[in-house]
Amino acid sequence: MYYKLAHIGFYVFTPVGKWLSVIFLLLNFLMPLIATWAGDMLGMFFQQLSDEIRGFFLKFLPGWMQ
């Protein structure tokens, strides 16, 4: 009985653990890249937003102040 259960556990949990460790290692290597990319996207978004807001308010200034 115990022998059969050990075999079942080995064949079930070994692939699951292997794939969990692969996913964990991949995320460890990829998270800095993902975080950097997301930070760049946020930075570009807020830069564009501030440019749009600035352009909106510049419409109300006289030409010599722009």
Side-chain angles (χ1 to χ4, degrees), residues 46-65:
F46 282 113
Q47 182 65 50
Q48 180 70 29
L49 183 66
S50 65
D51 289 345
E52 298 283 343
I53 293 171
R54 183 174 178 273
F56 173 76
F57 285 113
L58 280 178
K59 288 192 305 190
F60 301 109
L61 289 177
W64 61 270
M65 292 180 70

Side-chain angles (χ1 to χ4, degrees), residues 18-62:
K18 179 180 70 174
W19 282 110
L20 283 177
S21 62
V22 166
I23 291 169
F24 178 75
L25 288 173
L26 277 176
L27 281 179
N28 271 332
F29 286 113
L30 290 178
M31 273 314 278
L33 299 174
I34 294 169
T36 304
W37 176 81
D40 288 344
M41 293 298 112
L42 280 173
M44 285 191 279
F45 170 75
F46 282 113
Q47 182 65 50
Q48 180 70 29
L49 183 66
S50 65
D51 289 345
E52 298 283 343
I53 293 171
R54 183 174 178 273
F56 173 76
F57 285 113
L58 280 178
K59 288 192 305 190
F60 301 109
L61 289 177

